[in-house]
Every structure is written in C-alpha cells, then in structure tokens.
Amino acid sequence: MSWRYLPPVHSPVTAAGLLAGVRALLTGGEGARRELETTLVGDLDAGRVVLTDSGTTALALAMRSAMEATGRSHIALPGYGCYDLVTALNAAGAGVVLYDVDPATLGPDWGSFGAALATAPAAAVVVHLYGLPVDLDRVRTLADQAKVPVIEDAAQGAGGQWKGRPLGSLGDLSVLSFGRGKGITGGSGGALVVGRSWQGAVEVPAGSRRGFRDLVLLLAQAALARPALYRIPASLPFLRLGETVYHEPWPAGPISGVAAAAALVAWQGRTRDAEQRASTAECFGALLPHHQPVELEDGAPGWLRYPIVLDGRAVGSAGAGDGAELGLMPGYPVPLRSLPSLSTPRSAAGTPGADRLARALWTLPTHRWVGVEDLKHLGQLARSGLG
C-alpha cells in the first residue's frame, strides 16, 4: 500500500491566504469583510452582496427573499444534487417541486423544468454541478415566460463562466460558497449575490465573528490536503470525509473575518486554479473519449470534479480501494426525492435522470495534485467500469 492518497477535491490554501486570515483575526476582520464584499460586487456586477456563514445559509436567504417577493410558498429544485439544497429549503420553510436532471449535461431536463415552472414556484434553483455551467440563456427564457425568479447556485462553480461572465453573476439571486470542498475556500463562509434588478428584501445575518476556528481549519487543510498526508484525515471515520450527509438547518450567521480574508485571496486566484483543473479535465477527455460530459458551447466549466457515468460494481471489483486512494468517488448516492428530510416532495413527471445519476455517477479529481501516473490509473479504473 502506498502512503500517497489523493483528495477527491482540493481547494488551495496559500501562505498569503493564511497570513490574511491571521491579520483579520488580530484586527477583528471588519476590513476583510468590506473588501471581499466590494470585490464581489465589482467582479460580479452585482447590486449588492450579503456575506454569510455558508453557501447553504446564502441559499436559504435567497429562497426566503423570493418567497416574500412573490407571495408564493414553494421552490423548484433539481432532483439530483447536494443534500444542502434540502437543508436550505427546510431552513427557508419552503415547499418543493422537483424537476429532473439530464444525465448528459447535468443541467435541467427541459420538459421537466418547464412543468415545474408551470406550478408557479417562488423561484427556480439551477445548480452548476461539479462546475459544469447550466444553459442560463434557456433557463432565463423559460423562467421569464413563467414569471419565475431564478436562483443560481454557483457553490460548485469556482472559476467557471457562461458567455464570458463568471458563474455566480447570472441569477436574480446567486449563491457562492467558500467551504472546504468548493474550490475557492475561506475555511467556511458564503455569499448571496443580489442582481441589480432584484427588488425584493434580503435578510442580512446579524453579529460578528473573528473566526479562530476557521483559522485552525485552514491551517489543517493547508497541511493535510497534500497527498503525502491526506491518508491521515481520510482514515478518521468521524470526519466523514467524502460522505454526503444531510445537515439539519441552523440559524443564519455572518461570515467570520478570517474566512472573508482567506476567501478574498482564493477568489483572486480562481482563474489560475480553474485553468489547472481544465487541463486535467482535458486529459480525462482524451483518456475516456466516448464518455465525456457534454460541454455547452457558451460555457467554460470550472471543473471542480470530472463527472462520468460508471458501473459502480465493476469499478469496485477493479479495486475500490485503489479508486478511493486516487480520488475516484461516487456522486450523491440518492436522489433528493428519497431524502427523509424532504417533506412531501412532488414532481411533474418523475425524475428518472436523477435516479440514474444517483446509481451511476462517479467523479474524478481534477486538482493540481493529480499527476501523470494518477491519470493513467484513473483512466484504467474508469474504463474497467464502463462495460
């Protein structure tokens, strides 16, 4: 057994980010929060930005704002995605209608999306899964016709673009995450990006946090995310690394000063990191030419991970242990409609695409630590599972 162990996703924590976090801890962090807010408003051409303790909180605030602005009580969600979508939904106290996801693009199944819009939701949430941009033009056309606001969940969209505009700048309300596994990290934190045309009220979390815990997490991440040491945290079951877990809602809170300072440094380096991930994704495309995810012509993926549909049992028989050590991980293991925490889910015509993705979607790592030998071994594992 090699000691080397690739993390499935890597959000770089630089020395500059750590130093910025230390300064914010010592000074209280208000300047860091203001600078991050001002930078995001400018880079995303936003009306305003509300900084939060997480991307999940930002999404819950977006849902509440849309519900208050429209007087409606339910939200349209994709049938497949991170369980934090449901956490945010429950935090907002909203009902839900699910639309299906196209396994080829990981974007909406358009017939199902249109049927969900016909139920007159308070908003439609669209998600850039693993950094693959959704067709925002088509989303906007359909949503505008139905008079439904669009919430763009760009928590996984680090460095991605649509028609030259950064993901996170294209919704009536958009969501960013600075969590550990989101490509652009402050250790924690998130942001609600309010579009210039949005007239609804937006809640601003009260309070202030310096973020000593965030600084500790950033230091640990900088040290232990390296392949030479990642086996240590990966072997500790209580950390639940790589698992998809539903979290109960919590009260909305502000971003810490440490997280804001570190996230600002990471945000400024997002293009360089996205280019590195794109280079790795291009290699996977060459290794697995018949199983590439569909890239939309107007989109530039951020490639947080490289998604591919595999036969999980065949991959397991080819060496699940080797796959995990190389960062090969299953996607979200159940569709959202199957979560016990999602009360009375409804969908216009079922979610067969989401069901298929829950059974068969796997992801390959794209970050800077993936080397040539890793690419070869991952390609062999993937091909052995494609049947």
Side-chain angles (χ1 to χ4, degrees):
M1 179 187 71
S2 168
W3 182 256
R4 190 170 184 273
Y5 200 118
L6 280 177
V9 65
H10 176 56
S11 304
V13 178
T14 63
L18 291 172
L19 288 173
V22 170
R23 286 195 297 269
L25 185 66
L26 296 175
T27 62
E30 191 55 39
R33 283 186 284 267
R34 284 198 302 269
E35 187 175 0
L36 176 59
E37 184 178 322
T38 299
T39 298
L40 292 176
V41 167
D43 289 351
L44 301 174
D45 191 27
R48 60 185 296 210
V49 166
V50 176
L51 300 176
T52 61
D53 59 356
S54 68
T56 305
T57 292
L59 181 56
L61 296 182
M63 291 177 179
R64 289 179 194 166
S65 179
M67 291 164 66
E68 182 178 339
T70 62
R72 305 168 194 163
S73 61
H74 71 283
I75 303 290
L77 285 183
Y80 179 83
C82 179
Y83 301 168
D84 287 345
L85 291 168
V86 178
T87 301
L89 186 85
N90 291 338
V96 64
V97 59
L98 298 175
Y99 62 86
D100 203 10
V101 178
D102 182 347
T105 66
L106 302 188
D109 173 276
W110 296 112
S112 181
F113 186 69
L117 293 177
T119 68
V125 176
V126 293
V127 181
H128 305 297
L129 273 172
Y130 306 116
L132 269 69
V134 169
D135 186 340
L136 268 302
D137 289 358
R138 194 166 182 179
V139 164
R140 177 62 72 186
T141 296
L142 293 172
D144 286 351
Q145 290 172 352
K147 296 182 171 54
V148 173
V150 174
I151 298 176
E152 178 198 13
D153 185 343
Q156 299 183 20
Q161 297 182 349
W162 179 257
K163 288 189 172 179
R165 292 185 59 183
L167 302 184
S169 67
L170 298 152
D172 295 298
L173 298 161
S174 299
V175 172
L176 305 177
S177 175
F178 306 126
R180 173 175 51 83
K182 296 303 193 295
I184 299 171
T185 190
S188 71
L192 173 55
V193 181
V194 182
R196 290 185 177 275
S197 62
W198 184 250
Q199 300 299 314
V202 177
E203 178 185 345
V204 178
S208 178
R209 297 168 50 235
R210 289 202 177 200
F212 177 77
R213 179 176 180 273
D214 287 327
L215 184 58
V216 172
L217 291 174
L218 285 167
L219 286 166
Q221 184 174 337
L224 298 177
R226 296 172 179 272
L229 295 174
Y230 186 71
R231 184 177 292 276
I232 297 173
S235 66
L236 301 175
F238 65 88
L239 292 178
R240 307 185 79 172
L241 296 180
E243 293 185 40
T244 303
V245 181
Y246 171 79
H247 300 97
E248 292 293 336
W250 61 89
I255 196 171
S256 72
V258 168
L264 176 61
V265 173
W267 176 264
Q268 292 167 338
R270 69 193 185 282
T271 301
R272 177 191 64 247
D273 296 329
E275 289 173 349
Q276 171 62 62
R277 295 193 299 270
S279 177
T280 304
E282 185 177 358
C283 292
F284 283 130
L287 287 167
L288 304 164
H290 303 297
H291 299 276
Q292 300 178 62
V294 174
E295 294 183 54
L296 303 179
E297 182 178 351
D298 291 322
W303 295 118
L304 187 64
R305 305 187 208 183
Y306 192 88
I308 190 166
V309 175
L310 298 173
D311 180 342
R313 288 169 298 178
V315 170
S317 65
D322 290 342
E325 292 174 7
L326 291 170
L328 175 64
M329 297 292 291
Y332 306 112
V334 301
L336 295 189
R337 65 175 175 78
S338 298
L339 287 180
S341 49
L342 187 63
S343 59
T344 61
R346 55 181 172 139
S347 57
T351 57
D355 295 348
R356 182 186 176 202
L357 290 170
R359 290 192 307 268
L361 182 72
W362 289 68
T363 63
L364 307 172
T366 55
H367 51 74
R368 66 170 79 174
W369 301 117
V370 180
V372 173
E373 291 303 312
D374 300 319
L375 287 166
K376 291 179 181 177
H377 292 153
L378 283 165
Q380 290 168 359
L381 279 171
R383 285 193 296 272
S384 74
L386 288 171

